[in-house]
Amino acid sequence: MAKPEILKKKSLYSYIPKLFTVLINIVIVKLKDSGFGCSINNIFIGCILYADDIIVLSATVTGLQEMLNICNNTILDMELSFNCKKSVCIRFGPVCKYTITDMYIGSSTITWCNSIRYLGVNIKSGSCFKVDTDIVRRKFFASCNAILGNSVQQAELYV
C-alpha cells in the first residue's frame, strides 16, 4: 500500500504545469487589455510564449517598458519573479541604429543586444527581421563531415 505523503506530492506536481498556464494567462490578458503591444488584423501578438520562454513585442520603446511594468506588477502580485539575468531586448527597424536606454523589470536592468537565441534560432537585430542561419549551417556541415569521415575510414578498412 502506498504512503499518503507520496500520493500527495505526486498529485501536487502534476498540477504545476496547469497552474503555470493559468498564472501566465493572467499576464497575457492584462497585456492584451492594456492596449500596448503589437497586433495583426486585431489579433494580439504582443506576447508570444513557448513553455516558460516569453517574448514581449511592442512597436515603441515606451510601449515595451509599459508592458514590462505590467508583467512585473502582475507577477509580483502572484508572489513570483522573473529571472532578469536571462532577459534581453532586441530591436528591429529604423531604430536599430540609435542608442536606446535600457529597459527595466522592477529595479533590474534589461540591456539591448545585437542578437538573441530563441528556441534554437539565432535572431539578429537590424533594419528588418533577420534569422542567422550561419551557425546552424556550420553545425550541419560539421555533422555531415563527421559522418562521411567515419564512413570513408570504415570503407577503406574493408578494401
Side-chain angles (χ1 to χ4, degrees):
M1 188 158 144
K3 294 182 180 179
E5 296 86 21
I6 294 172
L7 291 175
K8 286 180 184 176
K9 287 182 181 179
K10 191 172 184 180
S11 298
L12 176 64
Y13 291 134
S14 67
Y15 287 107
I16 290 176
K18 294 173 186 168
L19 179 61
F20 177 79
T21 303
V22 169
L23 295 177
I24 204 67
N25 191 57
I26 294 169
V27 175
I28 295 168
V29 168
K30 287 192 177 190
L31 287 172
K32 182 180 177 185
D33 292 346
S34 73
F36 296 106
C38 297
S39 61
I40 297 175
N41 291 333
N42 293 326
I43 297 172
F44 180 71
I45 60 160
C47 185
I48 299 171
L49 291 117
Y50 182 81
D52 63 345
D53 291 329
I54 304 169
I55 293 181
V56 179
L57 298 172
S58 176
T60 65
V61 175
T62 306
L64 179 60
Q65 185 60 63
E66 288 298 323
M67 292 175 76
L68 293 175
N69 292 342
I70 291 166
C71 289
N72 186 54
N73 294 336
T74 306
I75 291 296
L76 285 176
D77 288 345
M78 296 176 199
E79 298 183 9
L80 299 171
S81 64
F82 284 104
N83 184 353
C84 296
K85 293 176 185 173
K86 294 171 126 184
S87 302
V88 293
C89 293
I90 190 168
R91 57 188 175 254
F92 306 100
V95 296
C96 73
K97 57 187 171 189
Y98 300 110
T99 303
I100 300 175
T101 59
D102 290 335
M103 300 282 102
Y104 293 91
I105 296 179
S107 60
S108 300
T109 303
I110 309 299
T111 58
W112 293 93
C113 63
N114 294 324
S115 66
I116 62 168
R117 186 168 174 88
Y118 184 72
L119 303 177
V121 177
N122 294 311
I123 302 169
K124 295 173 75 172
S125 176
S127 57
C128 62
F129 183 82
K130 296 178 188 173
V131 176
D132 183 9
T133 58
D134 290 342
I135 295 170
V136 175
R137 189 179 305 139
R138 275 194 303 265
K139 286 182 180 180
F140 172 76
F141 284 120
S143 297
C144 287
N145 288 335
I147 292 168
L148 292 174
N150 287 334
S151 63
V152 168
Q153 288 174 357
Q154 288 179 358
E156 289 173 356
L157 290 175
Y158 293 115
V159 174

